[in-house]
Every structure is written in C-alpha cells, then in structure tokens.
Amino acid sequence: MKGRKYRLFALLALLGIASFKPLTSIYKDGWIDLNKNGKKDIYEDPKQSVNARTADLLSKMSLEEKTCQMATLYGWHRVLKDSLPTADWKNAIWKDGIANIDEHLNGFAGWGKTPPIDLVKDMEKHVWAMNETQRFFIEQTRLGIPADFTDEGIRGVEAYEATGFPTQLNMGMTWNKELVHQEGIITGREARALGYTNVYAPILDVARDQRWGRLEESYGEDPYLVASMGIAMAKGIQQDGKVASTAKHFAVYSANKGAREGQARTDPQVAPREVENLLLYPFKKVIKEAGIMGVMSSYNDYDGIPVSGSNYWLIQRLRVEMGFTGYVVSDSDALEYLATKHHVAANLKEAVYQAFMAGMNVRTTFRTPDSIIIYLRQLVKEGRIPMDTINHRVADVLRVKFKVGLFDHPYVESAAETRKLVNSDASQQVALQASRESVVLLKNNNNMLPLSKGLEKIAVVGPNATDDDYAHTHYGPLGSPSVNILQGIQAKLGADKVLYAKGADLVDKNWPESEILPEPMNTAEQAMLDSAVQIAKQAQMAVVVLGGNTRTAGESKSRTSLDLPGHQLELIKAIKATGKPVVVVLIGTQPMSINWIDKYIDGIVYAGYPGVKGGIAIADVLFGDYNPGGKITLTWPKSVGQIPFNFPSKPGAQSDEGEHAKIKGLLYPFGFGLSYTSFGYNNLKINTGKTATDPIAVTVEVTNTGKVAGDEVVQCYIRDVLSSVTTYEKLLKGFDRVHLQPGETKTVSFTIPREELKLYNREMKFVLEPGEFSVMIGGSSSDINQKESFFIK
C-alpha cells in the first residue's frame, strides 16, 4: 500500500495543486482508514467477508449517508457543473457520499458534443481527474465511502479514446462467443484503467421489430443468441473482479408498440408466454451463469404496471426467482415516469415512494440527486419507508462496491499503465477481427465477389463511403481513430486507382416526410447524382455504399419505412444503368427493403455498423483477403407492411399459403449469410444419455466443399413436435463458428440441457413434457441440412 500511495500522490501532483490537501495519513499498509479514526474497523479490513464489512458500515451510517447511496450524480457537463471537486462540494448533498457518478469525463456531453478539454482527451490527465474526484469521497466524507463510477460500454467503454468495437448487433452477427468474451475482457480492463468501475453492458433486449431505432444495441431477435452473447460479454467484463457488469433493460423493453420511441416507449403488446420465452430468457440465463452485479430497470409498463414501480418485477421476479444479488439502477426518468407518464403516482415524492418500496436501489437520470434524496429522507421520517427497507437497498449497493474492490483500491494506480493498456495494438487487432467476422455476404451471383486487386480504376460511390459516424456515437468510444470504407479501399488498391463521388446525401432535404410524400430531386441533388455516374463510367466497376447511419437509426430514431432513405435508390439505378459491374455495400442496423437491389445487383455485402476498423474489414472482404462468414441475426422482410415478421415464430404464423393480396416471402431469413466457399453436412447423431437428467448430446460433421478456407456458422434448432400448448417452429439451442480449410471435415458438438426443452404449459407451469423432439442442423434457420428426432419418456 505504501508504494502505491507514493505513486498515487505523484499522480495527484500532475496538474499542480489538488482540490483538497491529500490526507496521506489514512493510507495504511494493506488498508485505508476511511473514517479517519485511527483504527481498522471491520468495513476497512480486506480480510473480512463482504457481508461482514457491509453490515459494519451500515451500522455506522446516518440516514443522510444512506440516502446518498440511493442516487446517481451525473458527471461533468451532464448534471455536475465541475470537472474537479471544489470547496462547494463540502456544502453539496454529496458531501455525505453518492451511490455512483455516471459518464464522468467520458467525452459525451450530449449527442454530437465532445468537450475539448484535457481532462477528457489527455489520458493521463483524465486518470488524474478521476482519481481526484474519487479522492473527495475517500478523504472528505465522514465514512470515506467510494463512489462507483458508471459508464456505457456496448462497443468498447465510452471514453474519448478506447478500443472501438462494432456495435452489439454486429457482434451478434459474428456468432462467435469467444470473440464477444474477449471484447468484454478488453472493455472491463480499459474501463477500470480509465477510472470506471461499472459498465452498462451487455444489452439483453431481444429485437422484435425491424423499424426499432435501437436495433444496433441488440445482439438480434433470438433469445438464445442474445443470452449466449450476453453471458460471454458479462463474464468478460467481470473477469478480473474489478468492474461490475450492469445489464439492461429490465424488462419487456424491446417490444414497443409500432417500434415507437421518445415519450411513446411504453405499452408493449406481448403475450405472457412470449414474455417468458423470449424477452426474459436472456436475463434469466445471464444472471444465473454470469452473476452480473447490476441491472437497469426500464421505463415501460407491462399490462398496465410500470416495471420500475413494481415489486413483482424488481423483487419477486428479479431477485427471488432469478437470483439477482446486485443493485438496480433506473433507466433515465423511469422513476419520474411513474408520475409524469404512467400517472400511477400523484407526484415525484409518491414516485420515489413507489420505486424504492418496489425494489429500486439507485435512481439514475439527468437531474440533480437532491431531487429525490430529500423525498427519501422525508418518507423515512414520516414512517412510510421503513429503515429496514432503506438498509436493504443500500446494502445491495455497498456489496457491489466491496466486491469490485473500491474500498481497498479506489484509485487508478498508474496513468502510464493506462496509456499502455487502453486502445493497444493488440486490442485493436481483436476489434478488427470482430469487424471482419461481423460482415455478411447477402448475394454473390456469378461469383461477382471477391473483386480483383488488378483493377486499374474502381469507382467508390455513395453517402456511406466516407460517413463513419457510427464509430463515434454514444455508448462507446468517441474519438478513437477510424477508417471509413473509401479509405479502406484506397489503402488496399492505392489511392490513384480509386475514384470517388458521393452521388446522393444519406437523406433528402424533406426526410422523413419524403418517406410518404416523395419529391423529385432538385437541381443540386441531380448534379450530385450525375457526377457519380460520370465517375462510374471512368472506372472498370463500382462499389456503391448505401443504407442508413446515425441520422436514420439510433435511440429515439425508429423508422416508418425500411426503404433506403433519400435518393439512394435512384443513385444505384443510375450507376447500374452505366453497364459497369456493380457491388453494393450496405451500412445500417435496421433491415432494409432492398428489393430492386436484391433482384438486379449481383454482389451485396451487409456491414451493419462495423466499428472503427470497418473500412479495413470491408475492403478485406471485397478483395478476398478475408472470406466473409457472418450471419444476420434479424429477419429481413421485403416490405415494412409485412411486420411483424421475425424469428422464432409459431407454426403457420408467417406462412403465405392461401394469401392472394400481398407480397409473399422475405428477403433474407434469420441466420442467413453466404461465403466464398461452400459447406456440406453429414452424419447427425443424437445421444439422450442414460438418465432422466442427462443433457442431449448432438454431433454433426461439417465439410468445406469449396476451394478456399472459410468459416461456417453451424446452427442447431429444435422443435417440440407435439405439445400441450403451441410452441415455436424452430428454437435455436446451439451454434458454433468453425473455420475449415478446403476439403477439411470437423465434428461439431452441441449439448442441450433438458431445461432447454421445457415449456410453460396450460397452467403456466414450466415443465418438460414427454414426447418427440426434432433436431435440425444447418447454415441458417431456413437452410436445414440434417434432421433427426429423439424422444423424452
């Protein structure tokens, strides 16, 4: 401790005079005298159990100190006016401590805003400032209770600079659990090195509507896939035991009525069994298998009951049934909405009463913590909230702080080590691999791809060729250097071989109204398109980069249409009319109704939001330096009018049989993706074991039947053939991404616990019914190559 202490105060001197004179005397060998009384109390003793330390600390806390552990202080430029502690903090409500400080000095100050100050951009100064902020709570509060520094982290930790990964949807499209686990490890370690001790990830929302703006934040529309990736991510974040993983959004959040957002994010229309089978499934699995230390409660209701004011959801389901032992933070305004939107509370004070009695631990939103702490104190003094309830809520928070080591190692010890670790070359290579593995080949007629590197001139056209805003938006790194698609292709071929024209803006000047009232191009828009046509005529072929981006998708940006926005369709038609070979690359997280492109363009690549290395990855795929193996995790309909159209589905629910007045079929099914090689499946075997509790063992042989090495995502689906209630046509219960050389065969194994065969029967009891189960193996949900059955007695 002494050596670390000296390094710490050398760091504190980095910017000159600290906000408060350091109390060097409280830092002892192996412990910190947090309450400054000159003796080692139980809560200060690292050798004591977490429960013993928590109980001891609680016994010493006043009502004021306890209620301060029940609210978030949003960081600088969000709510907190100061980037560093000031003398005024001794008069602020957090003079008695605070549960957590969210997004402090992480570079996000509002959509599209990054404060240009050294404490954000200079990594060593940032570490100093985070330590200095923490030092206030350790040294200047009575009991020295550290703050939990929370931050976003769904594509790398949100900071000005950190390792930037593709978004969660892309990570889902890798179908690579180990890669997601590596992302989690990197995110957790970089978060802690930057001063953050709690990461708001993974997102366990199961996507159900292709119009939803937040699809980029979901792994996909299948609960087993979401759960599997969520377990891998959460375990990675928490692997070192120094950072908590807080999953969101609990519960029934991602089935918004008509995909509506903004103030309409409420009133999900979901049947009870769908809630259990699809939307709660990932939370049950991740809590059980990863032991996450945090959950964010959502601001929607379900069947008229707001989740964040529901004892059923926050205590009975989350803690009693699922076994969650961490602490619950509210999503932004979830507590306030009890009064202002749901109207189940008469005012903010009554909302505070309902939320904390229901099981909320910490209110988190963009308002000062005073606004609810004062009501908590009043409610206790009035006898409405029992002190025992306060103690339970605060104990949950303190236990997490003890578990991640905040009471024993509250500071980042070496800014120099942080500089070496964060966004290192090795981590960037993991991110690049994630970008490559997430790219999906949707169409490759006549072997249009890969392209030849011997091209003398290639035209790169389209609004997304240079737009990589997706790599710098909220919920991940903001300023990490990125490579767009044009730059990736130029680096691959040489800039002198690449011609570029934008061709069209991402959206037209009247968007989104133009989605229902389209207007012809004006003179400037026509000139932009004509310029792209001339560029294409000068080249041997064209890569046209279309789709959506941060303006058309994201939080509070759900669509009314899945068509390409603006004049992008006119652009691709005009480029195709030149007679030059054309490949389309699609950026965006919402599936697109690209019917014309699917019919007339031979090569289509879907890249989602491919991260800061996206341009490199896409160029590698286009020119054959990487064989694409990603698979989509969202169903792609032909028209928005077909929605709901998703996976999994009930028997016949999405059938077109007997229909005579609508477009039939879909563009691409769940799990679909092509390769530059081909694969064959053989010899499916099923072993049900010897006892009634043995898992089902499934093996299948997969062979690369093509001429180049490649990855195949082997997908295992099951169906309960005859059951007491209607079940899904196919349920994903296993997947594995395998790399195969030409002619190579591997045996792929899946283990299906019998728990995964259970259903909610007519009495809503979770049971395993005897009978026949079908096993289906293939390369997508519609490409089933092997099928066998087994029986449960």
Side-chain angles (χ1 to χ4, degrees):
M1 177 66 74
K2 283 185 176 179
R4 288 196 297 268
K5 177 178 70 176
Y6 296 139
R7 289 197 300 271
L8 166 66
F9 291 113
L11 181 60
L12 291 179
L14 179 64
L15 290 184
I17 299 173
S19 303
F20 296 91
K21 183 178 179 180
L23 298 179
T24 58
S25 62
I26 71 171
Y27 299 94
K28 312 294 185 180
D29 284 334
W31 64 285
I32 304 174
D33 186 11
L34 295 162
N35 61 1
K36 301 94 180 165
N37 67 354
K39 67 176 184 177
K40 185 189 293 184
D41 294 279
I42 291 173
Y43 85 94
E44 297 167 341
D45 187 354
K47 295 181 180 179
Q48 297 288 332
S49 70
V50 167
N51 286 340
R53 298 178 80 180
T54 300
D56 180 59
L57 179 54
L58 265 177
S59 71
K60 293 175 168 59
M61 295 173 71
S62 66
L63 174 62
E64 287 71 26
E65 288 162 335
K66 289 175 181 177
T67 51
C68 279
Q69 296 297 316
M70 300 172 73
T72 293
L73 172 62
Y74 255 90
W76 180 66
H77 237 278
R78 307 304 300 281
V79 169
L80 188 57
K81 296 179 180 179
D82 308 309
S83 58
L84 291 167
T86 69
D88 289 341
W89 285 28
K90 296 291 286 185
N91 300 313
I93 201 163
W94 53 89
K95 69 182 184 299
D96 294 314
I98 200 71
N100 53 31
I101 302 180
D102 196 23
E103 298 189 27
H104 189 48
L105 297 172
N106 71 348
F108 184 80
W111 298 98
K113 301 176 183 177
T114 301
I117 67 166
D118 287 345
L119 299 187
V120 168
K121 293 190 171 183
D122 185 300
M123 200 173 292
E124 292 195 354
K125 292 178 181 178
H126 168 85
V127 168
W128 177 85
M130 295 293 287
N131 280 342
E132 186 73 352
T133 305
Q134 184 69 282
R135 191 170 68 83
F136 171 85
F137 295 97
I138 299 295
E139 298 182 6
Q140 298 298 320
T141 64
R142 185 177 73 93
L143 294 174
I145 301 173
D148 188 13
F149 283 92
T150 53
D151 198 11
E152 303 291 347
I154 60 172
R155 51 178 185 82
V157 65
E158 184 162 27
Y160 182 74
E161 182 183 352
T163 302
F165 285 86
T167 196
Q168 268 204 193
L169 181 65
N170 277 64
M171 296 306 293
M173 293 192 297
T174 70
W175 296 69
N176 188 333
K177 289 172 284 196
E178 178 54 34
L179 191 58
V180 172
H181 182 64
Q182 288 298 313
E183 178 195 14
I185 292 172
I186 291 168
T187 299
R189 288 177 179 170
E190 292 191 356
R192 190 65 188 90
L194 289 165
Y196 305 106
T197 49
N198 194 325
V199 177
Y200 288 157
I203 292 179
L204 301 180
D205 301 325
V206 179
R208 303 310 292 157
D209 193 319
Q210 292 86 345
R211 296 167 292 185
W212 193 34
R214 301 192 82 169
L215 288 175
E216 65 198 69
E217 302 176 29
S218 172
Y219 288 117
E221 64 189 14
D222 179 84
Y224 182 87
L225 176 82
V226 172
S228 300
M229 296 306 195
I231 290 167
M233 182 70 170
K235 282 185 173 181
I237 290 171
Q238 297 190 164
Q239 177 162 298
D240 294 340
K242 298 178 180 179
V243 175
S245 167
T246 292
K248 53 185 186 178
H249 306 85
F250 185 84
V252 201
Y253 176 78
S254 54
N256 294 338
K257 192 175 183 179
R260 293 180 180 90
E261 294 199 69
Q263 291 300 307
R265 287 184 279 194
T266 185
D267 196 24
Q269 306 291 291
V270 191
R273 282 185 180 81
E274 188 169 346
V275 168
E276 302 298 331
N277 293 327
L278 302 184
L279 302 181
L280 292 185
Y281 179 93
F283 283 96
K284 297 174 188 176
K285 299 287 286 185
V286 173
I287 289 169
K288 179 180 179 180
E289 298 188 29
I292 52 174
M293 288 186 263
V295 161
M296 180 180 287
S297 67
S298 57
Y299 36 58
N300 55 279
D301 65 341
Y302 176 65
D303 195 25
I305 308 298
V307 170
S308 289
S310 167
N311 180 278
Y312 170 79
W313 286 109
L314 299 186
I315 299 292
Q316 185 60 38
R317 296 307 308 272
L318 184 60
R319 294 192 183 275
V320 177
E321 292 185 23
M322 298 184 193
F324 176 69
T325 60
Y327 77 85
V328 176
V329 298
S330 64
D331 200 354
S332 303
D333 276 354
L335 182 149
E336 286 76 4
Y337 282 164
L338 299 179
T340 61
K341 177 157 64 174
H342 301 298
H343 301 291
V344 298
N347 49 47
L348 181 56
K349 182 178 179 179
E350 293 305 307
V352 169
Y353 172 77
Q354 289 187 22
F356 286 101
M357 289 298 290
M360 185 179 293
N361 295 99
V362 176
R363 181 276 229 138
T364 301
T365 197
F366 308 105
R367 291 175 175 80
T368 61
D370 316 45
S371 57
I372 63 105
I373 290 174
I374 56 173
Y375 290 127
L376 277 169
R377 294 172 182 174
Q378 289 177 14
L379 289 162
V380 171
K381 291 173 181 177
E382 292 167 5
R384 295 185 63 197
I385 296 183
M387 184 57 72
D388 185 59
T389 298
I390 297 291
N391 288 341
H392 274 92
R393 303 295 179 263
V394 174
D396 293 332
V397 177
L398 297 178
R399 275 195 300 270
V400 171
K401 293 185 178 184
F402 279 117
K403 286 180 179 179
V404 300
L406 270 171
F407 286 85
D408 307 314
H409 304 284
Y411 306 111
V412 180
E413 295 175 6
S414 172
E417 289 301 313
T418 294
R419 176 67 273 180
K420 292 179 184 178
L421 174 72
V422 174
N423 204 24
S424 68
D425 290 343
S427 294
Q428 289 185 44
Q429 285 303 307
V430 177
L432 174 57
Q433 185 63 18
S435 296
R436 289 174 175 142
E437 291 195 19
S438 71
V439 176
V440 182
L441 180 62
L442 293 178
K443 186 179 178 184
N444 195 21
N445 278 13
N446 305 313
N447 294 317
M448 170 64 75
L449 293 164
L451 304 176
S452 170
K453 294 179 188 175
L455 291 168
E456 293 181 4
K457 290 290 181 183
I458 184 173
V460 178
V461 173
N464 276 328
T466 58
D467 187 347
D468 58 358
D469 283 354
Y470 53 77
H472 304 287
T473 188
H474 197 14
Y475 301 123
L478 300 166
S480 298
S482 58
V483 180
N484 63 40
I485 296 173
L486 176 62
Q487 291 168 336
I489 294 174
Q490 288 174 331
K492 184 72 66 177
L493 299 182
D496 59 318
K497 294 184 178 181
V498 182
L499 305 174
Y500 165 71
K502 188 175 185 181
D505 290 323
L506 188 76
V507 299
D508 61 84
K509 61 184 178 65
N510 293 317
W511 186 87
E513 288 79 6
S514 58
E515 292 195 336
I516 60 172
L517 293 171
E519 295 183 2
M521 286 182 283
N522 60 32
T523 302
E525 290 167 334
Q526 185 66 56
M528 189 185 302
L529 185 146
D530 292 342
S531 174
V533 168
Q534 292 305 312
I535 288 292
K537 288 179 178 179
Q538 298 172 39
Q540 292 170 279
M541 63 93 52
V543 174
V544 184
V545 192
L546 307 172
N549 213 305
T550 56
R551 186 170 177 186
T552 62
E555 190 169 2
S556 299
K557 296 175 183 175
S558 291
R559 293 280 304 279
T560 53
S561 169
L562 296 180
D563 294 341
L564 292 173
H567 298 295
Q568 294 186 52
L569 183 57
E570 291 101 314
L571 173 62
I572 182 59
K573 287 181 176 180
I575 301 298
K576 175 66 175 177
T578 66
K580 298 297 178 76
V582 179
V583 168
V584 166
V585 175
L586 297 170
I587 297 293
T589 57
Q590 293 146 323
M592 302 163 225
S593 47
I594 52 164
N595 298 287
W596 190 92
I597 293 173
D598 181 67
K599 183 173 182 178
Y600 293 107
I601 302 299
D602 285 337
I604 307 173
V605 171
Y606 174 53
Y609 281 177
V612 299
K613 303 293 186 182
I616 299 172
I618 293 165
D620 285 347
V621 166
L622 290 175
F623 293 94
D625 290 325
Y626 187 81
N627 185 354
K631 307 271 187 173
I632 56 174
T633 59
L634 299 170
T635 300
W636 283 46
K638 291 180 176 178
S639 166
V640 73
Q642 294 174 295
I643 294 174
F645 205 152
N646 44 37
F647 182 90
S649 66
K650 298 289 182 65
Q654 295 178 173
S655 171
D656 292 317
E657 186 175 351
E659 293 282 357
H660 303 289
K662 74 174 187 181
I663 294 170
K664 299 181 180 181
L666 48 77
L667 278 172
Y668 312 112
F670 174 83
F672 175 80
L674 303 175
S675 170
Y676 296 151
T677 189
S678 56
F679 301 94
Y681 290 74
N682 288 288
N683 204 19
L684 171 61
K685 294 181 180 180
I686 303 172
N687 187 339
T688 58
K690 297 180 179 179
T691 72
T693 59
D694 287 342
I696 312 303
V698 178
T699 61
V700 67
E701 293 177 355
V702 183
T703 302
N704 183 340
T705 56
K707 297 180 180 180
V708 296
D711 292 358
E712 171 69 324
V713 177
V714 184
Q715 301 165 43
C716 177
Y717 299 91
I718 67 166
R719 180 177 183 180
D720 190 339
V721 176
L722 181 65
S723 50
S724 63
V725 295
T726 304
T727 57
Y728 296 97
E729 290 181 316
K730 296 185 184 77
L731 281 173
L732 183 69
K733 291 301 176 184
F735 59 88
D736 193 12
R737 183 168 181 146
V738 294
H739 184 76
L740 295 166
Q741 296 295 324
E744 182 182 8
T745 297
K746 286 184 179 178
T747 299
V748 179
S749 301
F750 302 105
T751 300
I752 306 174
R754 295 192 179 219
E755 185 85 359
E756 296 293 331
L757 307 178
K758 290 183 177 181
L759 53 73
Y760 288 90
N761 66 13
R762 296 191 180 197
E763 289 74 43
M764 280 301 286
K765 294 179 179 178
F766 195 50
V767 299
L768 174 55
E769 295 183 344
E772 180 184 0
F773 290 81
S774 177
V775 175
M776 296 157 279
I777 305 285
S780 81
S781 61
S782 65
D783 179 26
I784 301 302
N785 293 281
Q786 296 278 291
K787 183 177 180 180
E788 295 287 347
S789 291
F790 65 91
F791 293 83
I792 296 293
K793 296 181 180 179

